[in-house]
Amino acid sequence: MKINTNQQISEKETQGYIDYIENKYNRKLDSLDININGDFVDLSYEFEKVPFERIRRITGYLVGTMDNWNNAKTNEEKDRVKHAMNNCGCGSDIAKL
């Protein structure tokens, strides 16, 4: 984690700011800028990136991947009718939004 300060502060105080932010938002910090101005402290921070997995509704189930599906469920997905939005008349309306 990158930590920048405009004044020298103790490790204990720095860790206190880190713990406060991480506990408040339940996320890990990637960087922290500590700007001390008299009695006031300004904290600017960025969190670590959260991995995102695409979730889709397939054959009535919310799934990320089909890796663990048995042959019957895989064939059901392969045989399903996939509806297209061609010629629905809504394409031009969507483009105007």
Side-chain angles (χ1 to χ4, degrees):
M1 175 182 5
K2 298 172 279 195
I3 300 173
N4 298 314
T5 63
N6 67 336
Q7 291 183 16
Q8 190 69 22
I9 60 174
S10 69
E11 269 189 52
K12 184 176 179 181
E13 186 175 359
T14 302
Q15 190 61 48
Y17 293 131
I18 293 168
D19 292 342
Y20 169 75
I21 294 168
E22 289 184 343
N23 290 332
K24 181 176 181 179
Y25 296 104
N26 197 27
R27 294 182 62 190
K28 289 288 188 186
L29 285 174
D30 184 48
S31 67
L32 174 63
D33 294 331
I34 304 170
N35 185 12
I36 300 172
N37 186 4
D39 291 337
F40 298 97
V41 177
D42 182 33
L43 302 175
S44 300
Y45 47 88
E46 290 186 20
F47 294 110
E48 290 181 352
K49 303 291 184 220
V50 177
F52 177 79
E53 182 179 328
R54 179 179 177 202
I55 297 177
R56 302 173 288 166
R57 179 179 292 278
I58 299 177
T59 66
Y61 296 93
L62 292 175
V63 297
T65 65
M66 299 183 307
D67 297 342
N68 297 325
W69 283 15
N70 63 26
N71 291 340
K73 188 49 89 175
T74 302
N75 287 334
E76 182 182 340
E77 191 279 331
K78 187 175 74 174
D79 295 339
R80 73 186 178 113
V81 175
K82 296 172 179 79
H83 302 282
M85 294 198 57
N86 301 342
N87 303 324
C88 69
C90 61
S92 59
D93 294 337
I94 293 173
K96 292 177 187 176
L97 296 176

